[in-house]
mmCIF file of all heavy atoms in Angstrom:
data_model
loop_
_atom_site.group_PDB
_atom_site.id
_atom_site.type_symbol
_atom_site.label_atom_id
_atom_site.label_comp_id
_atom_site.label_asym_id
_atom_site.label_seq_id
_atom_site.Cartn_x
_atom_site.Cartn_y
_atom_site.Cartn_z
ATOM 1 N N ILE A 1075 22.562 56.719 -17.799
ATOM 2 C CA ILE A 1075 22.040 57.951 -17.203
ATOM 3 C C ILE A 1075 20.862 57.647 -16.288
ATOM 4 O O ILE A 1075 20.789 58.145 -15.158
ATOM 5 C CB ILE A 1075 21.619 58.942 -18.303
ATOM 6 C CG1 ILE A 1075 22.846 59.403 -19.109
ATOM 7 C CG2 ILE A 1075 20.900 60.150 -17.698
ATOM 8 C CD1 ILE A 1075 22.485 60.207 -20.349
ATOM 9 N N ALA A 1076 19.930 56.832 -16.763
ATOM 10 C CA ALA A 1076 18.724 56.526 -15.984
ATOM 11 C C ALA A 1076 19.063 55.851 -14.661
ATOM 12 O O ALA A 1076 18.495 56.183 -13.613
ATOM 13 C CB ALA A 1076 17.781 55.648 -16.808
ATOM 14 N N VAL A 1077 19.987 54.906 -14.695
ATOM 15 C CA VAL A 1077 20.386 54.200 -13.471
ATOM 16 C C VAL A 1077 21.053 55.167 -12.504
ATOM 17 O O VAL A 1077 20.787 55.160 -11.303
ATOM 18 C CB VAL A 1077 21.327 53.021 -13.812
ATOM 19 C CG1 VAL A 1077 21.944 52.451 -12.541
ATOM 20 C CG2 VAL A 1077 20.562 51.934 -14.550
ATOM 21 N N GLY A 1078 21.934 56.022 -13.036
ATOM 22 C CA GLY A 1078 22.604 57.001 -12.184
ATOM 23 C C GLY A 1078 21.625 57.944 -11.510
ATOM 24 O O GLY A 1078 21.716 58.200 -10.301
ATOM 25 N N LEU A 1079 20.675 58.460 -12.274
ATOM 26 C CA LEU A 1079 19.688 59.374 -11.704
ATOM 27 C C LEU A 1079 18.825 58.681 -10.656
ATOM 28 O O LEU A 1079 18.485 59.273 -9.626
ATOM 29 C CB LEU A 1079 18.808 59.949 -12.817
ATOM 30 C CG LEU A 1079 19.484 60.917 -13.793
ATOM 31 C CD1 LEU A 1079 18.504 61.327 -14.884
ATOM 32 C CD2 LEU A 1079 20.023 62.144 -13.070
ATOM 33 N N ALA A 1080 18.466 57.434 -10.910
ATOM 34 C CA ALA A 1080 17.643 56.687 -9.961
ATOM 35 C C ALA A 1080 18.367 56.493 -8.632
ATOM 36 O O ALA A 1080 17.740 56.400 -7.575
ATOM 37 C CB ALA A 1080 17.250 55.332 -10.547
ATOM 38 N N ARG A 1081 19.687 56.454 -8.685
ATOM 39 C CA ARG A 1081 20.499 56.297 -7.475
ATOM 40 C C ARG A 1081 20.818 57.637 -6.814
ATOM 41 O O ARG A 1081 21.513 57.682 -5.801
ATOM 42 C CB ARG A 1081 21.812 55.589 -7.814
ATOM 43 C CG ARG A 1081 21.649 54.130 -8.232
ATOM 44 C CD ARG A 1081 22.983 53.559 -8.678
ATOM 45 N NE ARG A 1081 22.882 52.139 -9.000
ATOM 46 C CZ ARG A 1081 23.836 51.440 -9.603
ATOM 47 N NH1 ARG A 1081 24.971 52.034 -9.942
ATOM 48 N NH2 ARG A 1081 23.679 50.161 -9.858
ATOM 49 N N GLY A 1082 20.343 58.724 -7.422
ATOM 50 C CA GLY A 1082 20.662 60.042 -6.896
ATOM 51 C C GLY A 1082 22.056 60.495 -7.240
ATOM 52 O O GLY A 1082 22.631 61.356 -6.574
ATOM 53 N N GLU A 1083 22.631 59.934 -8.313
ATOM 54 C CA GLU A 1083 23.991 60.259 -8.729
ATOM 55 C C GLU A 1083 23.976 61.169 -9.953
ATOM 56 O O GLU A 1083 22.949 61.309 -10.628
ATOM 57 C CB GLU A 1083 24.763 58.974 -9.048
ATOM 58 C CG GLU A 1083 24.864 58.017 -7.874
ATOM 59 C CD GLU A 1083 25.399 56.650 -8.249
ATOM 60 O OE1 GLU A 1083 25.577 56.384 -9.459
ATOM 61 O OE2 GLU A 1083 25.626 55.841 -7.334
ATOM 62 N N GLY A 1084 25.107 61.777 -10.235
ATOM 63 C CA GLY A 1084 25.263 62.604 -11.422
ATOM 64 C C GLY A 1084 26.479 62.176 -12.204
ATOM 65 O O GLY A 1084 27.211 61.268 -11.803
ATOM 66 N N GLY A 1085 26.720 62.839 -13.324
ATOM 67 C CA GLY A 1085 27.883 62.500 -14.130
ATOM 68 C C GLY A 1085 27.970 63.384 -15.350
ATOM 69 O O GLY A 1085 27.069 64.176 -15.649
ATOM 70 N N VAL A 1086 29.086 63.252 -16.055
ATOM 71 C CA VAL A 1086 29.317 63.961 -17.308
ATOM 72 C C VAL A 1086 29.632 62.917 -18.374
ATOM 73 O O VAL A 1086 30.457 62.031 -18.158
ATOM 74 C CB VAL A 1086 30.491 64.953 -17.198
ATOM 75 C CG1 VAL A 1086 30.767 65.618 -18.545
ATOM 76 C CG2 VAL A 1086 30.203 66.015 -16.140
ATOM 77 N N ILE A 1087 28.945 63.019 -19.516
ATOM 78 C CA ILE A 1087 29.148 62.076 -20.616
ATOM 79 C C ILE A 1087 29.584 62.835 -21.863
ATOM 80 O O ILE A 1087 28.967 63.844 -22.232
ATOM 81 C CB ILE A 1087 27.855 61.298 -20.932
ATOM 82 C CG1 ILE A 1087 27.445 60.430 -19.750
ATOM 83 C CG2 ILE A 1087 28.029 60.438 -22.175
ATOM 84 C CD1 ILE A 1087 26.184 59.618 -19.990
ATOM 85 N N ALA A 1088 30.651 62.373 -22.492
ATOM 86 C CA ALA A 1088 31.058 62.904 -23.792
ATOM 87 C C ALA A 1088 30.407 62.053 -24.874
ATOM 88 O O ALA A 1088 30.634 60.839 -24.930
ATOM 89 C CB ALA A 1088 32.578 62.872 -23.938
ATOM 90 N N CYS A 1089 29.579 62.671 -25.694
ATOM 91 C CA CYS A 1089 28.838 61.943 -26.721
ATOM 92 C C CYS A 1089 28.515 62.897 -27.864
ATOM 93 O O CYS A 1089 28.068 64.022 -27.621
ATOM 94 C CB CYS A 1089 27.556 61.364 -26.126
ATOM 95 S SG CYS A 1089 26.459 60.564 -27.322
ATOM 96 N N SER A 1090 28.724 62.470 -29.087
ATOM 97 C CA SER A 1090 28.501 63.360 -30.237
ATOM 98 C C SER A 1090 27.072 63.894 -30.276
ATOM 99 O O SER A 1090 26.861 65.090 -30.508
ATOM 100 C CB SER A 1090 28.836 62.639 -31.548
ATOM 101 O OG SER A 1090 28.140 61.405 -31.624
ATOM 102 N N ALA A 1091 26.074 63.018 -30.072
ATOM 103 C CA ALA A 1091 24.658 63.430 -29.993
ATOM 104 C C ALA A 1091 24.302 64.428 -31.096
ATOM 105 O O ALA A 1091 23.681 65.460 -30.847
ATOM 106 C CB ALA A 1091 24.352 64.021 -28.615
ATOM 107 N N LEU A 1092 24.658 64.100 -32.320
ATOM 108 C CA LEU A 1092 24.564 65.064 -33.421
ATOM 109 C C LEU A 1092 23.125 65.422 -33.794
ATOM 110 O O LEU A 1092 22.852 66.557 -34.180
ATOM 111 C CB LEU A 1092 25.292 64.512 -34.651
ATOM 112 C CG LEU A 1092 26.789 64.253 -34.488
ATOM 113 C CD1 LEU A 1092 27.353 63.604 -35.756
ATOM 114 C CD2 LEU A 1092 27.531 65.541 -34.175
ATOM 115 N N LYS A 1093 22.226 64.452 -33.714
ATOM 116 C CA LYS A 1093 20.853 64.690 -34.161
ATOM 117 C C LYS A 1093 19.896 64.830 -32.981
ATOM 118 O O LYS A 1093 20.154 64.313 -31.889
ATOM 119 C CB LYS A 1093 20.378 63.534 -35.053
ATOM 120 C CG LYS A 1093 21.117 63.402 -36.369
ATOM 121 C CD LYS A 1093 20.508 62.285 -37.202
ATOM 122 C CE LYS A 1093 21.186 62.141 -38.556
ATOM 123 N NZ LYS A 1093 20.560 61.078 -39.384
ATOM 124 N N ARG A 1094 18.803 65.519 -33.253
ATOM 125 C CA ARG A 1094 17.801 65.702 -32.198
ATOM 126 C C ARG A 1094 17.277 64.363 -31.709
ATOM 127 O O ARG A 1094 17.058 64.190 -30.504
ATOM 128 C CB ARG A 1094 16.653 66.565 -32.730
ATOM 129 C CG ARG A 1094 15.549 66.771 -31.698
ATOM 130 C CD ARG A 1094 14.439 67.647 -32.225
ATOM 131 N NE ARG A 1094 13.371 67.769 -31.254
ATOM 132 C CZ ARG A 1094 12.270 68.491 -31.433
ATOM 133 N NH1 ARG A 1094 12.099 69.166 -32.568
ATOM 134 N NH2 ARG A 1094 11.343 68.549 -30.509
ATOM 135 N N GLN A 1095 17.074 63.413 -32.614
ATOM 136 C CA GLN A 1095 16.522 62.128 -32.201
ATOM 137 C C GLN A 1095 17.477 61.393 -31.269
ATOM 138 O O GLN A 1095 17.052 60.647 -30.385
ATOM 139 C CB GLN A 1095 16.199 61.263 -33.416
ATOM 140 C CG GLN A 1095 17.416 60.781 -34.203
ATOM 141 C CD GLN A 1095 17.025 60.122 -35.502
ATOM 142 O OE1 GLN A 1095 16.625 60.782 -36.470
ATOM 143 N NE2 GLN A 1095 17.162 58.807 -35.555
ATOM 144 N N TYR A 1096 18.791 61.598 -31.437
ATOM 145 C CA TYR A 1096 19.763 60.991 -30.532
ATOM 146 C C TYR A 1096 19.658 61.630 -29.143
ATOM 147 O O TYR A 1096 19.697 60.947 -28.121
ATOM 148 C CB TYR A 1096 21.196 61.176 -31.049
ATOM 149 C CG TYR A 1096 21.464 60.671 -32.447
ATOM 150 C CD1 TYR A 1096 22.569 61.118 -33.156
ATOM 151 C CD2 TYR A 1096 20.631 59.742 -33.066
ATOM 152 C CE1 TYR A 1096 22.840 60.669 -34.431
ATOM 153 C CE2 TYR A 1096 20.889 59.281 -34.342
ATOM 154 C CZ TYR A 1096 22.001 59.757 -35.032
ATOM 155 O OH TYR A 1096 22.264 59.320 -36.309
ATOM 156 N N ARG A 1097 19.526 62.947 -29.134
ATOM 157 C CA ARG A 1097 19.419 63.653 -27.859
ATOM 158 C C ARG A 1097 18.121 63.301 -27.140
ATOM 159 O O ARG A 1097 18.076 63.264 -25.902
ATOM 160 C CB ARG A 1097 19.536 65.170 -28.086
ATOM 161 C CG ARG A 1097 20.903 65.567 -28.646
ATOM 162 C CD ARG A 1097 21.084 67.068 -28.678
ATOM 163 N NE ARG A 1097 20.243 67.741 -29.660
ATOM 164 C CZ ARG A 1097 20.582 67.925 -30.932
ATOM 165 N NH1 ARG A 1097 21.741 67.474 -31.393
ATOM 166 N NH2 ARG A 1097 19.773 68.572 -31.764
ATOM 167 N N ASP A 1098 17.076 63.051 -27.903
ATOM 168 C CA ASP A 1098 15.807 62.643 -27.298
ATOM 169 C C ASP A 1098 15.964 61.320 -26.544
ATOM 170 O O ASP A 1098 15.355 61.122 -25.484
ATOM 171 C CB ASP A 1098 14.720 62.499 -28.365
ATOM 172 C CG ASP A 1098 14.233 63.848 -28.892
ATOM 173 O OD1 ASP A 1098 14.513 64.883 -28.236
ATOM 174 O OD2 ASP A 1098 13.582 63.867 -29.948
ATOM 175 N N VAL A 1099 16.763 60.413 -27.091
ATOM 176 C CA VAL A 1099 17.004 59.128 -26.421
ATOM 177 C C VAL A 1099 17.751 59.339 -25.105
ATOM 178 O O VAL A 1099 17.421 58.739 -24.078
ATOM 179 C CB VAL A 1099 17.804 58.176 -27.339
ATOM 180 C CG1 VAL A 1099 18.188 56.896 -26.592
ATOM 181 C CG2 VAL A 1099 17.017 57.835 -28.592
ATOM 182 N N LEU A 1100 18.743 60.223 -25.130
ATOM 183 C CA LEU A 1100 19.577 60.461 -23.950
ATOM 184 C C LEU A 1100 18.860 61.275 -22.877
ATOM 185 O O LEU A 1100 19.178 61.165 -21.691
ATOM 186 C CB LEU A 1100 20.861 61.181 -24.348
ATOM 187 C CG LEU A 1100 21.785 60.429 -25.307
ATOM 188 C CD1 LEU A 1100 22.950 61.318 -25.714
ATOM 189 C CD2 LEU A 1100 22.297 59.142 -24.661
ATOM 190 N N SER A 1101 17.885 62.062 -23.279
ATOM 191 C CA SER A 1101 17.192 62.949 -22.345
ATOM 192 C C SER A 1101 16.110 62.180 -21.590
ATOM 193 O O SER A 1101 14.917 62.409 -21.763
ATOM 194 C CB SER A 1101 16.587 64.147 -23.093
ATOM 195 O OG SER A 1101 16.094 65.099 -22.197
ATOM 196 N N VAL A 1102 16.551 61.299 -20.724
ATOM 197 C CA VAL A 1102 15.606 60.452 -19.984
ATOM 198 C C VAL A 1102 14.845 61.247 -18.932
ATOM 199 O O VAL A 1102 13.806 60.793 -18.429
ATOM 200 C CB VAL A 1102 16.340 59.262 -19.331
ATOM 201 C CG1 VAL A 1102 16.973 58.380 -20.392
ATOM 202 C CG2 VAL A 1102 17.384 59.745 -18.335
ATOM 203 N N ASP A 1103 15.350 62.402 -18.565
ATOM 204 C CA ASP A 1103 14.685 63.302 -17.618
ATOM 205 C C ASP A 1103 15.089 64.724 -18.023
ATOM 206 O O ASP A 1103 16.231 65.127 -17.812
ATOM 207 C CB ASP A 1103 15.125 63.000 -16.189
ATOM 208 C CG ASP A 1103 14.380 63.833 -15.146
ATOM 209 O OD1 ASP A 1103 14.094 65.019 -15.426
ATOM 210 O OD2 ASP A 1103 14.102 63.318 -14.056
ATOM 211 N N GLU A 1104 14.157 65.456 -18.619
ATOM 212 C CA GLU A 1104 14.493 66.766 -19.179
ATOM 213 C C GLU A 1104 15.035 67.745 -18.155
ATOM 214 O O GLU A 1104 15.829 68.625 -18.492
ATOM 215 C CB GLU A 1104 13.266 67.367 -19.878
ATOM 216 C CG GLU A 1104 12.857 66.624 -21.138
ATOM 217 C CD GLU A 1104 11.699 67.300 -21.850
ATOM 218 O OE1 GLU A 1104 11.205 68.337 -21.333
ATOM 219 O OE2 GLU A 1104 11.293 66.794 -22.910
ATOM 220 N N ARG A 1105 14.604 67.614 -16.910
ATOM 221 C CA ARG A 1105 15.073 68.546 -15.872
ATOM 222 C C ARG A 1105 16.466 68.197 -15.374
ATOM 223 O O ARG A 1105 17.182 69.071 -14.871
ATOM 224 C CB ARG A 1105 14.104 68.551 -14.685
ATOM 225 C CG ARG A 1105 12.769 69.195 -14.974
ATOM 226 C CD ARG A 1105 12.073 69.550 -13.679
ATOM 227 N NE ARG A 1105 12.018 68.423 -12.751
ATOM 228 C CZ ARG A 1105 11.801 68.525 -11.444
ATOM 229 N NH1 ARG A 1105 11.654 69.710 -10.905
ATOM 230 N NH2 ARG A 1105 11.735 67.456 -10.678
ATOM 231 N N ARG A 1106 16.842 66.922 -15.497
ATOM 232 C CA ARG A 1106 18.105 66.496 -14.893
ATOM 233 C C ARG A 1106 19.150 66.027 -15.898
ATOM 234 O O ARG A 1106 20.176 65.477 -15.513
ATOM 235 C CB ARG A 1106 17.825 65.389 -13.866
ATOM 236 C CG ARG A 1106 17.017 65.899 -12.675
ATOM 237 C CD ARG A 1106 16.984 64.875 -11.566
ATOM 238 N NE ARG A 1106 16.151 63.716 -11.907
ATOM 239 C CZ ARG A 1106 16.168 62.574 -11.230
ATOM 240 N NH1 ARG A 1106 16.986 62.423 -10.197
ATOM 241 N NH2 ARG A 1106 15.367 61.585 -11.580
ATOM 242 N N VAL A 1107 18.895 66.245 -17.176
ATOM 243 C CA VAL A 1107 19.896 65.980 -18.212
ATOM 244 C C VAL A 1107 20.092 67.262 -19.005
ATOM 245 O O VAL A 1107 19.153 67.781 -19.607
ATOM 246 C CB VAL A 1107 19.455 64.840 -19.158
ATOM 247 C CG1 VAL A 1107 20.508 64.625 -20.255
ATOM 248 C CG2 VAL A 1107 19.234 63.544 -18.380
ATOM 249 N N ARG A 1108 21.299 67.810 -18.983
ATOM 250 C CA ARG A 1108 21.621 69.049 -19.688
ATOM 251 C C ARG A 1108 22.625 68.755 -20.794
ATOM 252 O O ARG A 1108 23.490 67.892 -20.652
ATOM 253 C CB ARG A 1108 22.221 70.084 -18.733
ATOM 254 C CG ARG A 1108 21.306 70.554 -17.628
ATOM 255 C CD ARG A 1108 20.095 71.305 -18.160
ATOM 256 N NE ARG A 1108 20.465 72.336 -19.127
ATOM 257 C CZ ARG A 1108 20.902 73.560 -18.801
ATOM 258 N NH1 ARG A 1108 21.026 73.900 -17.523
ATOM 259 N NH2 ARG A 1108 21.196 74.441 -19.732
ATOM 260 N N PHE A 1109 22.503 69.490 -21.893
ATOM 261 C CA PHE A 1109 23.423 69.323 -23.024
ATOM 262 C C PHE A 1109 24.322 70.545 -23.146
ATOM 263 O O PHE A 1109 23.868 71.688 -23.033
ATOM 264 C CB PHE A 1109 22.648 69.120 -24.325
ATOM 265 C CG PHE A 1109 21.956 67.785 -24.403
ATOM 266 C CD1 PHE A 1109 20.660 67.623 -23.907
ATOM 267 C CD2 PHE A 1109 22.600 66.687 -24.949
ATOM 268 C CE1 PHE A 1109 20.020 66.399 -23.959
ATOM 269 C CE2 PHE A 1109 21.971 65.449 -25.010
ATOM 270 C CZ PHE A 1109 20.679 65.305 -24.516
#
């Protein structure tokens, strides 16, 4: 995600992300990562 955002790219990821702590890891930019 971080590399994609740095390049000005977007994407969709399928990921269980069951716990808040997992989502915190994935949320590298709160404005540009949506769940």
Side-chain angles (χ1 to χ4, degrees):
I1075 295 171
V1077 170
L1079 291 176
R1081 292 174 176 169
E1083 300 169 353
V1086 177
I1087 296 181
C1089 175
S1090 53
L1092 298 176
K1093 294 184 178 182
R1094 179 179 177 179
Q1095 68 189 74
Y1096 305 161
R1097 297 188 291 273
D1098 287 345
V1099 174
L1100 298 175
S1101 189
V1102 298
D1103 185 323
E1104 292 184 359
R1105 290 198 309 161
R1106 294 191 289 166
V1107 178
R1108 297 295 311 278
F1109 290 89

